[in-house]
Amino acid sequence: MANALYTRLQATANRLITSYGQTGTVKRLTPPDPVTGGDPVPVDHTAKLVPMGYTAREIDGTVIQAGDVQVYISSVGLAIEPTVGDLVVTANGKQYRVVNGDPNNYDGVTNVVFIVQGRTAA
């Protein structure tokens, strides 16, 4: 059962991201059918998000590299949970690959907000 506190936090996070963020997409490649084969199919999921840079103190050169961004993604209305390997395409046209993520799911039911580490996709 969802905790009312986390439901309120989710609503607050969604409101702030919608007000101050931008519309982007989370692109996931669906694997080909194991029987018939084929190519992976990219599926875009529209999302509200806020990309934010890391501070110089947080950049260590290994886990967090120069150019990495934190992307706060609203969980409201998002059909998937962003995972490592997904592409986050921001509205300004930059494309980032998810290299680390945190669903902020404290009660095991409600994803409050997705915070992912994005690295420029090559």
Side-chain angles (χ1 to χ4, degrees), residues 52-91:
M52 297 171 55
Y54 284 99
T55 63
R57 200 173 348 164
E58 295 172 309
I59 298 172
D60 62 3
T62 54
V63 176
I64 300 174
Q65 300 177 0
D68 286 1
V69 294
Q70 271 185 321
V71 183
Y72 288 74
I73 304 171
S74 174
S75 62
V76 175
L78 189 60
I80 62 168
E81 180 176 321
T83 59
V84 174
D86 288 345
L87 291 175
V88 177
V89 184
T90 62

Coordinates of all heavy atoms in Angstrom, one line a residue, residues 52-91:
M52 N 20.7 18.9 -14.8 CA 21.5 19.8 -13.9 C 22.9 19.3 -13.9 O 23.2 18.1 -13.8 CB 20.9 19.8 -12.5 CG 19.5 20.3 -12.4 SD 18.8 20.1 -10.8 CE 19.9 20.9 -9.7
G53 N 23.9 20.2 -14.0 CA 25.3 19.8 -14.0 C 25.8 19.4 -12.6 O 25.2 19.9 -11.6
Y54 N 26.8 18.7 -12.5 CA 27.4 18.3 -11.2 C 28.4 19.5 -10.9 O 28.9 20.2 -11.7 CB 28.2 17.0 -11.4 CG 27.4 15.8 -11.4 CD1 27.1 15.1 -12.6 CD2 26.9 15.2 -10.2 CE1 26.3 14.0 -12.6 CE2 26.2 14.1 -10.2 CZ 25.9 13.5 -11.4 OH 25.1 12.3 -11.4
T55 N 28.6 19.7 -9.6 CA 29.5 20.7 -9.1 C 31.0 20.1 -9.3 O 31.2 18.9 -9.4 CB 29.3 21.0 -7.6 OG1 29.6 19.8 -6.8 CG2 27.9 21.5 -7.4
A56 N 31.9 21.0 -9.3 CA 33.3 20.6 -9.5 C 33.8 19.6 -8.4 O 34.6 18.7 -8.6 CB 34.2 21.8 -9.5
R57 N 33.2 19.8 -7.2 CA 33.6 18.9 -6.1 C 33.1 17.5 -6.3 O 33.7 16.6 -5.8 CB 32.9 19.5 -4.8 CG 33.6 19.1 -3.5 CD 33.0 19.8 -2.3 NE 32.3 21.0 -2.7 CZ 31.5 21.6 -1.9 NH1 31.3 21.2 -0.6 NH2 30.8 22.7 -2.2
E58 N 32.0 17.3 -7.0 CA 31.4 16.0 -7.2 C 32.1 15.2 -8.3 O 32.0 14.0 -8.4 CB 29.9 16.1 -7.5 CG 29.1 16.7 -6.4 CD 27.6 17.0 -6.8 OE1 27.4 17.6 -7.9 OE2 26.7 16.5 -6.1
I59 N 32.8 15.9 -9.2 CA 33.4 15.3 -10.4 C 34.7 14.7 -9.9 O 35.6 15.4 -9.5 CB 33.6 16.3 -11.5 CG1 32.3 16.8 -12.0 CG2 34.4 15.6 -12.6 CD1 32.4 17.9 -13.0
D60 N 34.8 13.3 -10.0 CA 36.0 12.6 -9.5 C 36.8 12.1 -10.7 O 37.9 11.5 -10.5 CB 35.7 11.6 -8.5 CG 34.8 10.5 -9.1 OD1 34.5 10.5 -10.3 OD2 34.4 9.6 -8.3
G61 N 36.3 12.1 -11.9 CA 37.0 11.6 -13.1 C 36.8 10.2 -13.4 O 37.2 9.7 -14.4
T62 N 36.2 9.4 -12.4 CA 35.9 8.0 -12.7 C 34.4 7.7 -12.7 O 33.9 7.4 -13.7 CB 36.7 7.1 -11.7 OG1 36.3 7.5 -10.3 CG2 38.2 7.2 -11.8
V63 N 33.8 7.8 -11.5 CA 32.4 7.6 -11.4 C 31.6 8.7 -12.1 O 30.7 8.5 -12.9 CB 31.9 7.4 -10.0 CG1 30.4 7.2 -9.9 CG2 32.6 6.2 -9.4
I64 N 32.0 9.9 -11.7 CA 31.3 11.1 -12.3 C 32.4 11.9 -13.1 O 33.4 12.3 -12.5 CB 30.7 12.1 -11.2 CG1 29.7 11.3 -10.4 CG2 30.2 13.3 -11.9 CD1 29.1 12.0 -9.2
Q65 N 32.2 12.0 -14.4 CA 33.2 12.6 -15.3 C 32.7 14.0 -15.7 O 31.5 14.3 -15.6 CB 33.4 11.7 -16.5 CG 33.9 10.4 -16.2 CD 34.0 9.5 -17.5 OE1 33.7 9.9 -18.6 NE2 34.4 8.2 -17.3
A66 N 33.7 14.8 -16.1 CA 33.4 16.1 -16.6 C 32.4 16.0 -17.8 O 32.5 15.1 -18.7 CB 34.6 16.8 -17.1
G67 N 31.3 16.8 -17.8 CA 30.3 16.7 -18.8 C 29.1 15.8 -18.4 O 28.1 15.9 -19.1
D68 N 29.2 15.1 -17.4 CA 28.0 14.3 -16.9 C 27.0 15.3 -16.3 O 27.3 16.3 -15.8 CB 28.4 13.3 -15.8 CG 29.2 12.1 -16.4 OD1 29.4 12.0 -17.6 OD2 29.6 11.2 -15.6
V69 N 25.7 14.8 -16.3 CA 24.7 15.6 -15.8 C 23.8 14.8 -14.9 O 23.7 13.6 -15.1 CB 23.8 16.3 -16.9 CG1 24.6 17.4 -17.6 CG2 23.2 15.3 -17.8
Q70 N 23.2 15.4 -13.9 CA 22.1 14.7 -13.2 C 20.8 15.1 -13.9 O 20.6 16.3 -14.1 CB 22.0 15.3 -11.7 CG 22.9 14.6 -10.8 CD 22.7 15.1 -9.4 OE1 22.5 16.3 -9.2 NE2 22.7 14.2 -8.4
V71 N 20.0 14.1 -14.1 CA 18.7 14.4 -14.7 C 17.6 13.9 -13.8 O 17.5 12.8 -13.5 CB 18.5 13.7 -16.1 CG1 17.2 14.1 -16.8 CG2 19.7 14.0 -17.0
Y72 N 16.8 14.9 -13.3 CA 15.6 14.6 -12.5 C 14.4 14.4 -13.4 O 14.1 15.3 -14.2 CB 15.3 15.8 -11.5 CG 16.3 15.9 -10.4 CD1 17.6 16.4 -10.7 CD2 16.0 15.5 -9.1 CE1 18.5 16.5 -9.7 CE2 17.0 15.6 -8.1 CZ 18.2 16.1 -8.4 OH 19.1 16.2 -7.4
I73 N 13.9 13.2 -13.4 CA 12.8 12.8 -14.3 C 11.5 12.6 -13.4 O 11.6 11.7 -12.5 CB 13.1 11.6 -15.1 CG1 14.4 11.8 -15.9 CG2 12.0 11.2 -16.0 CD1 14.9 10.5 -16.5
S74 N 10.4 13.2 -13.8 CA 9.2 13.0 -13.0 C 8.7 11.5 -13.3 O 8.7 11.1 -14.4 CB 8.1 14.0 -13.5 OG 6.9 13.7 -12.9
S75 N 8.3 10.9 -12.2 CA 7.8 9.5 -12.4 C 6.3 9.5 -12.8 O 5.8 8.4 -13.2 CB 8.0 8.7 -11.1 OG 7.3 9.3 -10.0
V76 N 5.6 10.6 -12.7 CA 4.2 10.7 -13.0 C 4.0 10.6 -14.5 O 4.5 11.4 -15.2 CB 3.6 12.0 -12.4 CG1 2.1 12.1 -12.8 CG2 3.7 12.0 -10.9
G77 N 3.2 9.6 -14.9 CA 2.9 9.4 -16.3 C 4.0 8.7 -17.1 O 3.8 8.5 -18.3
L78 N 5.1 8.4 -16.5 CA 6.2 7.7 -17.2 C 6.0 6.2 -17.1 O 5.9 5.6 -16.0 CB 7.5 8.1 -16.6 CG 8.8 7.6 -17.4 CD1 8.8 8.1 -18.8 CD2 10.0 8.0 -16.7
A79 N 5.9 5.5 -18.3 CA 5.5 4.1 -18.3 C 6.6 3.2 -17.9 O 6.4 2.0 -17.6 CB 5.0 3.7 -19.7
I80 N 7.9 3.7 -17.9 CA 9.0 2.8 -17.6 C 9.8 3.5 -16.5 O 9.6 4.6 -16.1 CB 9.9 2.6 -18.8 CG1 10.5 4.0 -19.3 CG2 9.2 1.9 -20.0 CD1 11.6 3.9 -20.3
E81 N 10.7 2.7 -15.9 CA 11.7 3.2 -15.0 C 13.0 3.3 -15.7 O 13.5 2.3 -16.2 CB 11.8 2.2 -13.8 CG 12.8 2.7 -12.7 CD 12.9 1.7 -11.5 OE1 11.8 1.2 -11.1 OE2 14.0 1.5 -11.0
P82 N 13.6 4.5 -15.8 CA 14.8 4.7 -16.5 C 15.9 3.8 -15.9 O 16.1 3.8 -14.7 CB 15.2 6.2 -16.4 CG 13.9 6.8 -16.1 CD 13.1 5.8 -15.3
T83 N 16.6 3.1 -16.8 CA 17.7 2.2 -16.3 C 19.0 2.4 -17.1 O 19.0 3.1 -18.1 CB 17.3 0.7 -16.4 OG1 17.0 0.4 -17.8 CG2 16.1 0.4 -15.6
V84 N 20.0 1.8 -16.6 CA 21.3 1.9 -17.3 C 21.2 1.5 -18.7 O 20.6 0.4 -19.0 CB 22.4 1.1 -16.5 CG1 23.7 1.1 -17.3 CG2 22.6 1.6 -15.1
G85 N 21.7 2.3 -19.6 CA 21.7 2.0 -21.1 C 20.6 2.7 -21.8 O 20.7 2.9 -23.0
D86 N 19.6 3.2 -21.1 CA 18.6 4.0 -21.8 C 19.2 5.3 -22.2 O 20.2 5.8 -21.7 CB 17.4 4.3 -20.8 CG 16.5 3.1 -20.6 OD1 16.6 2.1 -21.3 OD2 15.7 3.2 -19.6
L87 N 18.6 6.0 -23.2 CA 19.0 7.3 -23.7 C 18.0 8.3 -23.2 O 16.8 8.1 -23.3 CB 19.0 7.3 -25.2 CG 20.1 6.5 -25.9 CD1 20.0 6.6 -27.4 CD2 21.5 7.0 -25.5
V88 N 18.5 9.4 -22.6 CA 17.6 10.5 -22.2 C 17.9 11.6 -23.2 O 19.0 12.1 -23.3 CB 18.0 11.0 -20.8 CG1 17.1 12.2 -20.4 CG2 17.7 9.8 -19.8
V89 N 16.9 12.0 -23.9 CA 17.1 13.1 -24.9 C 16.4 14.4 -24.3 O 15.2 14.4 -24.1 CB 16.4 12.7 -26.3 CG1 16.6 13.8 -27.3 CG2 16.9 11.4 -26.8
T90 N 17.2 15.4 -24.1 CA 16.6 16.6 -23.5 C 16.0 17.5 -24.7 O 16.3 17.2 -25.8 CB 17.7 17.4 -22.8 OG1 18.7 17.8 -23.7 CG2 18.3 16.6 -21.7
A91 N 15.3 18.4 -24.3 CA 14.6 19.3 -25.3 C 15.6 20.1 -26.0 O 15.3 20.5 -27.2 CB 13.5 20.1 -24.6

